Amino acid sequence: MKILLTLFLLLSTLLSADELRDAYEKEFTFLKAQKTELEKRLRQEKLFQTKEVATTKQKVQNLQNRYVKLSQEEKNLENQMQKLSVKLDDKRSNKEIIASVLIQAKSLLDEYNIEVNDKKDADILKVTRKAFVDGAHLYKQLSSLEKENGKFYLTDGTKTDGTIIKIGNIAAYGVTDKAKGALAPAGNGEYKIWNQDASADALAFAKGTPRKDIKIFIYENLDKDVEYKKEKTLEDTIKGGGTIGYIILILGALGLLLILIRTVLLIRAGSNVKEITNTVVEKLRNNKPQEALEAIKGYKGSTARVIKATLRNIDKDRDHIEDIVTENILNESSHIDRFGNFVLVLAAVAPLLGLLGTVTGMIATFDIITEFGTGDPKLLSGGISEALVTTMLGLIVAIPLLLLGNLLSGWAQNIKDSMEQAALHIVNEYEVHKEK
Amino acid sequence: MNEILVYWNQFINIMNSGGIIMWVLFALNLLLWYGIGYRYLTLKRGTRGNVRRLIEKHEKRGSEKKYSGLLDYVVADSIQAYKTAQSIGKKPRAFIYDAIFPYIILIGKYSILVKTIVILAPLVGLLGTVAGMIETFDALQSSSMFSQGDSIAGGISKALFTTELGLVVAVPGLIIGKILDKKEEQFILEFEQIVDILSTKDEK
């Protein structure tokens, strides 16, 4: 089958070979012409394209340039916009400041009846300028010394005419024939003479020659009546201490009394040690112990008793005498040390009681705070100052008791020591002169 | 001269800013330093040698010995007492004690005063503080500036100055007082030693 097909093809080819060649030739020339034509067109097209690309590139370049320029412009505009909005903010806050200044000026200057126009259609610049000028004027007025005639109350409540010297609007002095002194607010813009003496300063201000150190009453305003300050007496202070304060004072009085008694006891016990010793020693030098005993019979007190006991037993064995002296001194020491420790206990207890009083006072103060709140510091400080009084009383009692109690203890110890020494000395003297 | 005047004025100012308590403290201070000075002078030992050698020296030289301190006097008196006791054939211990007794009293003099003031000064300072506080709170209550002496600032300065001075008085007194007490204790021990040495002399 395959061979048949090949043969057929071969035959057909041989048959049409000539015809085919002609056709091919024709076709070839045609195609050649077309090729040259096409090549020509291609060249033209290429030329055209290059031209076109160049122009387009140019165009793009131009457009890009324009874009850059425009974006630059946009940036500039944005900057400008930002600047403007900042300026706007500034202006707004300035406006607020000016408004608040005006409100302040109005509230301040209204007190002195100076008008500030705060209506919406007013010329703000003008109003502000006026307010400042008025303010400066007022400041000058208030910071100067001013004399005027007016009325004020005296301390007994009567109203009189007189000269009022105002020191700005924080203090004033009043001068009349009857009274001179610092003025304090009496409520509703009126004055009253303060009850502490400042007449010298009032006169000095009236003459216009203020002194270097002045007594002055400084007030915030004249609307509120100021109460006269009472002179705080010792009695008031002690009353502030309350029950515990009185207890401390009673303990203190008791302590002082005991110290007084103790002093008397010690004076009687120890004042004549030297005298007795000298008398006895003199008699003993002549070896007359019985006479010595006679000579000091008139003396009383602890030392005398101890030495009398020594003299009575002076012939005995040395150890025996020493035992007698020790026993006698022990016996007297209960007398000499009487109240000594009790006074020191009182001195230790008094400050503790004072502390107790302060704590209870503080509790009372804080009770007041829970009731009325912390709005008024005067309430609080008054309570604290009263609470501290007991501590002060405790210390006032403790300090002298401690000082005197300790000194008396030292004295008592001294007396005991000197008694012992006197007894020893007497025994020694006796022994020395007995041998001679 | 001018400078002294300036310092003097400063001193007066400070004292016055604390009120009367300051002057009380100042008086206590003077008393304290008087006591300390007295104790310092009486507690001077004089010699450095130990007690045994001191006694030997005194016995050798007798009355020619130069006295340079408290211990010398004690040793001299003790030897005197010892000789007296020997001459009458008694035990010397009681006689030596008799001779030493005045010195024991002497070295203890003002010690209680110093101790008491050291305890007292801070208490007085505290009293000033409390008084100042009361003044401050009173001034707060009435809140007038009428007089300068009775003001908030015045009260506070009173409160602070007095406590300060109280401590300034007490602290040196405490330290020096303790040192002197230690010295006194040392002396008492040495006295005991003297008594013991002299009373046991014969049995050597």
Side-chain angles (χ1 to χ4, degrees):
Chain A
M1 194 62 203
K2 244 181 189 174
I3 301 164
L4 272 179
L5 202 64
T6 324
L7 280 177
F8 177 73
L9 272 175
L10 202 69
L11 273 176
S12 59
T13 319
L14 285 173
L15 282 176
S16 56
D18 283 343
E19 272 176 60
L20 272 171
R21 181 166 289 171
D22 287 347
Y24 274 132
E25 258 169 19
K26 254 188 206 167
E27 193 68 28
F28 180 75
T29 44
F30 176 71
L31 283 174
K32 211 178 181 181
Q34 222 163 25
K35 189 194 165 193
T36 42
E37 181 76 10
L38 277 172
E39 273 175 348
K40 201 180 163 191
R41 267 180 71 183
L42 190 67
R43 270 200 303 275
Q44 270 176 351
E45 198 67 19
K46 259 185 189 165
L47 212 68
F48 179 74
Q49 284 295 335
T50 22
K51 250 186 203 168
E52 194 78 346
V53 165
T55 49
T56 315
K57 263 187 186 163
Q58 189 63 39
K59 255 186 200 166
V60 167
Q61 189 72 35
N62 283 349
L63 279 173
Q64 257 174 354
N65 280 353
R66 221 175 128 205
Y67 172 73
V68 168
K69 226 184 236 170
L70 279 175
S71 67
Q72 190 71 37
E73 220 165 289
E74 192 211 350
K75 230 179 229 170
N76 281 349
L77 282 174
E78 234 166 50
N79 274 352
Q80 237 168 348
M81 187 117 133
Q82 222 161 357
K83 269 182 202 161
L84 284 174
S85 74
V86 167
K87 252 185 198 171
L88 188 68
D89 278 351
D90 275 358
K91 290 262 150 72
R92 262 194 204 133
S93 72
N94 276 352
K95 196 182 164 196
E96 271 165 31
I97 289 170
I98 285 179
S100 71
V101 164
L102 273 183
I103 289 169
Q104 223 173 344
K106 189 176 164 59
S107 70
L108 276 175
L109 294 176
D110 260 2
E111 275 178 42
Y112 302 97
N113 297 324
I114 295 169
E115 202 198 350
V116 175
N117 189 359
D118 62 342
K119 280 173 196 150
K120 270 196 180 160
D121 52 350
D123 182 355
I124 286 183
L125 199 64
K126 232 182 211 172
V127 172
T128 319
R129 197 169 286 156
K130 183 174 172 293
F132 272 102
V133 170
D134 286 345
H137 185 66
L138 186 66
Y139 174 74
K140 208 179 248 176
Q141 192 187 344
L142 289 183
S143 60
S144 61
L145 220 62
E146 241 182 293
K147 251 192 236 182
E148 58 183 43
N149 288 323
K151 289 184 173 188
F152 52 85
Y153 292 101
L154 296 180
T155 41
D156 54 4
T158 54
K159 208 170 186 182
T160 51
D161 289 306
T163 318
I164 295 176
I165 301 122
K166 283 186 183 171
I167 301 168
N169 66 337
I170 54 154
Y173 289 94
V175 178
T176 64
D177 305 335
K178 286 182 220 161
K180 306 158 190 67
L183 293 179
N188 297 327
E190 288 180 303
Y191 289 106
K192 65 180 176 189
I193 283 213
W194 190 237
N195 62 343
Q196 287 181 39
D197 181 47
S199 53
D201 286 312
L203 270 181
F205 272 110
K207 277 180 198 159
T209 52
R211 302 193 298 177
K212 203 177 172 194
D213 294 322
I214 53 171
K215 284 183 168 182
I216 193 165
F217 189 99
I218 294 171
Y219 49 79
E220 280 170 36
N221 52 45
L222 292 172
D223 302 336
K224 204 174 157 194
D225 184 17
V226 177
E227 276 176 41
Y228 284 131
K229 192 178 159 195
K230 273 183 221 150
E231 230 8 87
K232 214 177 177 189
T233 59
L234 193 64
E235 214 175 310
D236 291 334
T237 312
I238 291 169
K239 251 183 206 159
T243 323
I244 292 177
Y246 285 119
I247 292 175
I248 292 170
L249 284 181
I250 289 168
L251 285 185
L254 180 68
L256 280 184
L257 187 72
L258 291 182
I259 281 178
L260 220 68
I261 294 173
R262 191 150 190 240
T263 315
V264 173
L265 285 177
L266 287 181
I267 287 172
R268 280 168 55 185
S271 64
N272 42 20
V273 177
K274 261 198 186 134
E275 211 180 320
I276 292 174
T277 317
N278 288 341
T279 320
V280 171
V281 167
E282 205 174 298
K283 298 282 179 196
L284 287 179
R285 287 225 167 106
N286 305 322
N287 203 4
K288 289 168 185 164
Q290 284 311 311
E291 268 181 38
L293 194 55
E294 287 292 319
I296 59 164
K297 215 160 203 179
Y299 290 106
K300 278 177 185 169
S302 304
T303 321
R305 279 198 289 275
V306 170
I307 289 172
K308 274 180 208 166
T310 316
L311 283 175
R312 271 199 295 273
N313 297 292
I314 207 156
D315 299 328
K316 305 250 172 69
D317 185 33
R318 178 98 204 194
D319 287 344
H320 186 82
I321 301 174
E322 268 168 20
D323 282 348
I324 284 170
V325 169
T326 316
E327 193 273 332
N328 264 292
I329 288 172
L330 277 180
N331 190 35
E332 296 301 332
S333 71
S334 70
H335 203 63
I336 289 169
D337 286 337
R338 183 162 290 165
F339 307 134
N341 276 333
F342 190 61
V343 168
L344 290 181
V345 168
L346 283 184
V349 163
L352 289 181
L353 270 179
L355 194 62
L356 174 68
T358 298
V359 173
T360 51
M362 286 288 181
I363 290 172
T365 307
F366 284 113
D367 277 347
I368 292 174
I369 290 176
T370 43
E371 203 169 329
F372 297 105
T374 48
D376 192 0
K378 294 178 181 181
L379 214 64
L380 186 64
S381 47
I384 292 173
S385 108
E386 265 191 17
L388 284 175
V389 167
T390 52
T391 303
M392 186 172 76
L393 286 178
L395 288 172
I396 287 176
V397 165
I399 289 166
L401 285 190
L402 198 63
L403 180 67
L404 294 175
N406 265 340
L407 292 183
L408 287 184
S409 293
W411 187 12
Q413 190 58 46
N414 258 355
I415 288 175
K416 278 190 273 178
D417 285 351
S418 62
M419 270 186 340
E420 198 184 337
Q421 193 219 351
L424 189 69
H425 188 61
I426 284 167
V427 176
N428 285 344
E429 285 285 337
Y430 172 72
E431 287 188 343
V432 168
H433 292 286
K434 195 174 72 178
E435 295 296 314
K436 276 179 185 171
Chain B
M1 192 61 210
N2 246 346
E3 267 181 30
I4 294 170
L5 208 69
V6 169
Y7 282 126
W8 175 252
N9 282 338
Q10 260 177 2
F11 170 73
I12 295 286
N13 274 341
I14 288 174
M15 294 304 278
N16 281 337
S17 64
I20 191 162
I21 302 276
M22 291 291 266
W23 292 103
V24 172
L25 275 172
F26 186 65
L28 280 180
N29 195 24
L30 288 183
L31 218 60
L32 173 75
W33 284 99
Y34 173 72
I36 285 178
Y38 188 93
R39 270 169 79 66
Y40 176 74
L41 291 177
T42 52
L43 289 174
K44 265 190 177 161
R45 194 166 184 275
T47 48
R48 288 190 171 211
N50 81 13
V51 175
R52 282 186 196 174
R53 286 188 50 202
L54 203 64
I55 291 173
E56 269 169 34
K57 260 189 203 168
H58 271 267
E59 282 184 326
K60 252 185 226 161
R61 295 191 204 170
S63 54
E64 289 162 33
K65 172 81 174 100
K66 230 171 82 185
Y67 293 170
S68 56
L70 186 68
L71 221 48
D72 278 325
Y73 288 96
V74 174
V75 169
D77 281 7
S78 303
I79 290 171
Q80 186 70 38
Y82 169 73
K83 279 177 183 160
T84 318
Q86 265 196 334
S87 69
I88 58 168
K90 295 276 176 183
K91 278 187 178 171
R93 186 173 283 268
F95 288 84
I96 300 168
Y97 265 130
D98 188 12
I100 289 178
F101 227 101
Y103 294 103
I104 293 180
I105 289 177
L106 183 73
I107 60 172
K109 209 171 179 186
Y110 293 128
S111 99
I112 286 183
L113 181 80
V114 169
K115 276 178 199 153
T116 307
I117 290 177
V118 165
I119 297 171
L120 223 55
L123 274 183
V124 175
L126 188 62
L127 174 65
T129 302
V130 174
M133 278 306 179
I134 288 176
E135 194 184 308
T136 306
F137 282 115
D138 268 352
L140 259 180
Q141 188 186 16
S142 56
S143 71
S144 81
M145 292 188 241
F146 188 77
S147 64
Q148 260 195 326
D150 206 28
S151 62
I152 297 169
I156 290 175
S157 90
K158 223 182 236 183
L160 295 183
F161 272 123
T162 49
T163 305
E164 189 194 358
L165 190 63
L167 290 177
V168 165
V169 169
V171 171
L174 185 70
I175 295 168
I176 298 174
K178 275 271 181 290
I179 293 170
L180 292 176
D181 280 353
K182 189 84 200 160
K183 254 185 170 179
E184 184 188 332
E185 231 170 77
Q186 191 67 35
F187 268 116
I188 297 280
L189 285 179
E190 277 170 348
F191 290 175
E192 295 279 336
Q193 201 186 351
I194 291 170
V195 174
D196 287 344
I197 288 171
L198 287 175
S199 354
T200 55
K201 219 163 191 220
D202 294 338
E203 288 137 40
K204 259 180 194 171

